[in-house]
Amino acid sequence: MDEIEYMRLAIQLAKQGCGWVNPNPMVGAVIVKEGKIIGQGYHEKCGELHAERNALANCQTSATGATLYVTLEPCCHHGRTPPCTEAIIESGISRVVVGSSDPNPLVAGKGIAILRSHGIEVMENVAKDECDKLNESFFHYIRHKTPYVIMKYAMTMDGKIATHTGKSQWITGQTARKRVHEDRHRYSAIMVGVGTILTDDPMLTCRLENSKNPLRIICDTNLRTPLQAKIISTTDTAPTLIATAITDTNRHRAYLDAGCEIMVLPKKDKHIDLNNLMQRLGEKQIDSLLLEGGATLNWSALQSGIVNKVQAYVAPKLFGGNAKTPIAGLGVDYPEGAFVLSKPNITQVGEDILLESEVIQCLQES
């Protein structure tokens, strides 16, 4: 195996921590000595040992003189666990190959500098793009202290998210729906508007085995969510947070008694201020958020500039008529006022197609 192959093995190990390590990054590590893998590990859960220490603990022989392949720059500060640089130095590892640099100001090149100061050879940026992709939400969260927001929707090939009667189950097939549940496990929170609650009464949980449920967030400016809604009656299964502009604590009481959390926010353009909400969620260490709202919330989210990525599942179906499209609102005035997305990554998901693009420029004035 060469450098890239060892790093790709480390990437596959890192992915096993998906959904369990937030708001920490997914990290994998492989230790190689004399052409043989002698240890490997990954960051398994937030608060537990990092990938490098797990790999060292799993070593079959002494790591002295070995090479460590790690997807992210080793940490050099005391957090929930001690610095990985200390463990690497003490192990006798002579060479470290790194995929991504860590943008965390507590690390940010310091980990690599410490290793080099102790005579350890360091090679950087091996399979960098693949390693960076692994932790796009972590990198955003560390830099901006707000969640990485993925706006997801499913539509037909004529751009409809429901029929003219409002029915939307199901547009996509089982394979696509399974992938959505994988994302619900991966990301820290899921958010919808009160309109989705009133129309669909969803649970917004993850239906996969050995998975976790995200924090469920309802954008409900005027506190209209029915107390009998599934998302309210299942707070013992998954946490629910209601973001509202209503300050009357008497109106909060029934929701609090049902186990919900209430977050009171200021208004902006007659709705809760989504930018303020993102700041507050960041303070709660919510590093990533799957936006599964309807067309109205999608438009508000785009206008507010909180959307980082768009996931569009496209089904080979046609609904026709005046059915809803994924994004409502007034819309842009001219083509040059469009929200600009990156070249899409295209994935076949069962009978459907998934288009994924980063939001690279917002030209629409909010």
Side-chain angles (χ1 to χ4, degrees):
M1 296 174 68
D2 61 18
E3 309 276 26
I4 297 293
E5 290 174 309
Y6 285 127
M7 188 61 75
R8 283 177 176 160
L9 174 56
I11 290 171
Q12 291 309 309
L13 288 166
K15 289 179 179 179
Q16 294 183 56
C18 180
W20 301 112
V21 300
N22 311 56
N24 285 356
M26 290 181 276
V27 184
V30 175
I31 301 173
V32 179
K33 186 174 182 179
E34 298 175 353
K36 295 182 180 180
I37 295 173
I38 62 169
Q40 51 189 316
Y42 65 97
H43 184 31
E44 298 177 11
K45 193 173 182 180
C46 184
E48 296 184 359
L49 291 179
H50 289 183
E52 299 94 323
R53 288 182 177 271
N54 278 329
L56 286 166
N58 292 327
C59 268
Q60 302 162 0
T61 186
S62 169
T64 300
T67 296
L68 167 69
Y69 295 84
V70 62
T71 56
L72 183 68
E73 178 182 0
C75 67
C76 55
H77 63 289
H78 284 271
R80 294 184 178 92
T81 59
C84 289
T85 50
E86 288 184 1
I88 294 168
I89 293 164
E90 291 168 3
S91 73
I93 283 173
S94 61
R95 183 169 177 264
V96 176
V97 179
V98 177
S100 296
S101 300
D102 192 338
N104 186 339
L106 296 173
V107 186
K110 299 182 183 73
I112 289 172
I114 287 172
L115 295 177
R116 284 176 171 154
S117 72
H118 283 79
I120 297 173
E121 178 189 348
V122 181
M123 177 182 289
E124 300 179 65
N125 302 324
V126 173
K128 175 177 169 56
D129 289 346
E130 294 170 65
C131 290
D132 286 353
K133 186 70 175 176
L134 192 63
N135 287 305
E136 58 189 2
S137 58
F138 168 74
F139 291 161
H140 173 88
Y141 176 68
I142 284 294
R143 291 181 177 118
H144 302 282
K145 303 302 181 186
T146 57
Y148 182 80
V149 178
I150 304 95
M151 185 174 77
K152 166 261 165 184
Y153 54 82
M155 67 180 185
T156 60
M157 285 182 68
D158 57 342
K160 309 299 184 182
I161 61 172
T163 66
H164 73 93
T165 62
K167 303 298 182 183
S168 60
Q169 296 182 346
W170 295 103
I171 291 175
T172 53
Q174 290 186 356
T175 305
R177 298 201 297 274
K178 180 177 182 291
R179 177 154 178 156
V180 170
H181 283 281
E182 290 171 353
D183 279 347
R184 289 184 181 184
H185 166 75
R186 176 177 184 174
Y187 299 117
S188 296
I190 182 171
M191 187 168 80
V192 299
V194 66
T196 296
I197 302 299
L198 295 172
T199 302
D200 298 332
D201 192 21
M203 284 272 288
L204 302 180
T205 52
C206 179
R207 278 56 140 206
L208 303 177
E209 291 186 9
N210 302 315
S211 63
K212 68 166 182 57
N213 287 315
L215 170 66
R216 302 175 297 181
I217 302 169
I218 310 170
C219 293
D220 187 358
T221 304
N222 298 308
L223 209 52
R224 296 186 293 137
T225 299
L227 287 168
Q228 64 272 23
K230 292 175 184 175
I231 197 170
I232 304 299
S233 62
T234 57
T235 54
D236 58 335
T237 300
T240 300
L241 182 152
I242 303 175
T244 184
I246 298 298
T247 59
D248 185 352
T249 55
N250 290 324
R251 291 187 60 188
H252 297 174
R253 179 54 50 196
Y255 298 100
L256 295 172
D257 289 345
C260 299
E261 179 182 353
I262 298 287
M263 182 180 287
V264 177
L265 298 162
K267 281 187 180 181
K268 183 178 181 181
D269 298 328
K270 299 182 181 179
H271 299 288
I272 58 168
D273 186 333
L274 292 177
N275 294 103
N276 189 284
L277 173 58
M278 293 304 110
Q279 292 170 8
R280 296 277 297 276
L281 291 175
E283 292 168 4
K284 291 171 63 67
Q285 293 195 315
I286 301 300
D287 70 324
S288 49
L289 185 152
L290 190 61
L291 178 60
E292 287 198 30
T296 300
L297 182 57
N298 285 346
W299 172 250
S300 296
L302 283 169
Q303 276 202 311
S304 68
I306 68 169
V307 180
N308 302 108
K309 176 187 276 190
V310 176
Q311 287 185 335
Y313 288 87
V314 183
K317 300 174 182 177
L318 302 171
F319 283 172
N322 295 318
K324 290 183 179 180
T325 58
I327 301 167
L330 180 62
V332 301
D333 294 330
Y334 303 100
E336 57 267 28
F339 298 93
V340 181
L341 308 179
S342 66
K343 180 180 178 181
N345 181 53
I346 304 171
T347 307
Q348 188 78 42
V349 186
E351 62 264 43
D352 307 304
I353 291 174
L354 171 60
L355 305 175
E356 295 180 284
S357 290
E358 298 290 326
V359 178
I360 59 176
Q361 190 173 8
C362 174
L363 299 178
Q364 170 72 17
E365 292 185 4
S366 58

